[in-house]
Structures are given as C-alpha cells and as structure tokens.
Amino acid sequence: MKELEDRILKDGILLDKDIIKIGSFLNQQVDTELLIKMAKEVKKEFPEEITKVLTIEASGIAFACAIGIEYKVPFIFAKKNKTSNVSGDVVSAKVFSYTHQAENNIIVPKDYIKENEKVLIVDDFLANGKALEGLISIVEQCNATVVGCVVQVEKEYQNGGNTLRNKGYKVKALASIKEIENEKIIFN
C-alpha cells in the first residue's frame, strides 16, 4: 500500500537497524483516515467470509478494530497477562516478542472463538512470526479456521512471513520492507 509506505518514510523513525517506530500515526497515536483506508485494503485482499478478527495487545488493537468494523464482525485481542477479569476456560500460547525481547503467555477466553469460526489474524509488525504463530495456535485450539494473517508492516529480511507461508497460511502485509540499508528503509 503506497500510502502507508510513504507515511512510514515520512513519519517513521528508525530506532536501530531493525526497530521502526510508527507510534505517531499507527500505534499510540492513530491517523484514523489512514487506518480506515488500510482496513478497506485488507477487505480487498481477504474477500472471503470472516466471522472474527484476532490480534494481540496492544499495538494491533486499533488496526484490528478498524478491520472488524469494515467486516462488521467482532474483534478480539489476546491479553499478555491473565487478569482478575478473565475467568473460565482460556486458551493460551507462549509468544516471544522481538520488539520487547520478552516471552509472554497470551490468553483468550475459549468461548470468544467458537468452533468452525473463520478468523482473520491481525498484527502491526511481522518480524520473526512468533506473535502470529501464537495467535494461530489459539485459533486452532478453539477448532476454528485461520482464514489468513495480515500485518501493517512486514520485515521480509527477518523471514517470519515466509515461514508462515511455507506452512500454508495466507499472509499479507500492507507494507513490505525488503531491507534496511545505511539507515534507509527499502520497500519491496
């Protein structure tokens, strides 16, 4: 999505060779007009029936919400920690966060994803693919179907997307970074 790539180049901040800060327009502060356009683009890429949208807290929430609105279906976010207001049967998966260099046990109440539902998995970045793998595990534990995975930005050079594609999952990125060279982002 050219508009997203242009915005990353204009307002994204390269913190080091692998971390790009997009919080000023997609995560902590959200450009809602851009977010709506991104959700519409997702619906073009995934025209099939979707019954739920699933993400992981926190940076994927706004994107997942916009996509849920576009499809007119609920969205769910996996919590990184079990809290007192999460009760009953839960499904969980261990996920290593590349950005935070920490492992989390993500959880979703089991009754939020019904058997045979068609789930679109959503996240902000795709680097090594561990967050998406954890979300896929949660959907599969609920005996639901993963329709596909969509991310705002894929760092292709970290190969997580190809690993998931090789396992048979449909993975789409709205912006795909081929490499970062001499502090310059190069899109595919």
Side-chain angles (χ1 to χ4, degrees):
M1 185 177 173
K2 181 83 168 93
E3 187 174 348
L4 177 57
E5 292 174 358
D6 291 345
R7 189 66 181 272
I8 291 168
L9 293 175
K10 178 180 175 266
D11 294 328
I13 299 169
L14 194 58
L15 298 178
D16 69 23
K17 66 180 176 127
D18 285 328
I19 305 294
I20 304 162
K21 184 178 177 184
I22 58 174
S24 68
F25 60 98
L26 284 181
N27 290 349
Q28 193 169 7
Q29 175 174 268
V30 178
D31 178 334
T32 55
E33 288 183 32
L34 177 59
L35 195 65
I36 289 166
K37 290 175 186 175
M38 291 167 57
K40 290 183 183 312
E41 184 68 23
V42 169
K43 193 157 186 191
K44 288 180 200 172
E45 293 292 331
F46 292 90
E48 50 268 77
E49 179 188 7
I50 305 291
T51 59
K52 293 272 172 71
V53 175
L54 175 64
T55 193
I56 190 168
E57 69 177 352
S59 296
I61 291 175
F63 188 41
C65 182
I67 293 168
I69 290 168
E70 185 65 28
Y71 281 95
K72 296 179 175 49
V73 300
F75 85 94
I76 304 160
F77 65 90
K79 289 191 172 212
K80 291 181 182 173
N81 297 297
K82 189 168 184 176
T83 57
S84 60
N85 62 346
V86 175
S87 60
D89 287 339
V90 297
V91 286
S92 65
K94 294 215 180 292
V95 171
F96 181 78
S97 169
Y98 181 83
T99 305
H100 299 286
Q101 292 294 300
E103 186 172 79
N104 295 295
N105 188 38
I106 61 171
I107 59 167
V108 171
K110 189 169 185 168
D111 62 343
Y112 285 11
I113 302 173
K114 308 281 190 251
E115 187 174 343
N116 299 320
E117 285 203 279
K118 296 172 173 66
V119 181
L120 180 62
I121 295 174
V122 175
D123 205 3
D124 59 341
F125 274 93
L126 170 53
N128 60 23
K130 298 305 179 191
L132 294 180
E133 285 177 358
L135 293 168
I136 288 167
S137 172
I138 283 176
V139 172
E140 292 175 347
Q141 288 176 61
C142 294
N143 296 313
T145 300
V146 175
V147 174
C149 303
V150 63
V151 294
Q152 294 171 347
V153 181
E154 178 179 356
K155 295 188 266 183
E156 291 179 0
Y157 57 92
Q158 288 184 287
N159 222 21
N162 287 333
T163 299
L164 292 168
R165 289 179 189 98
N166 290 338
K167 291 179 180 179
Y169 296 102
K170 180 179 178 182
V171 179
K172 174 67 181 165
L174 297 183
S176 296
I177 298 173
K178 181 179 176 181
E179 63 184 320
I180 298 174
E181 186 176 294
N182 298 324
E183 298 184 18
K184 183 177 178 182
I185 297 169
I186 301 166
F187 292 101
N188 194 359

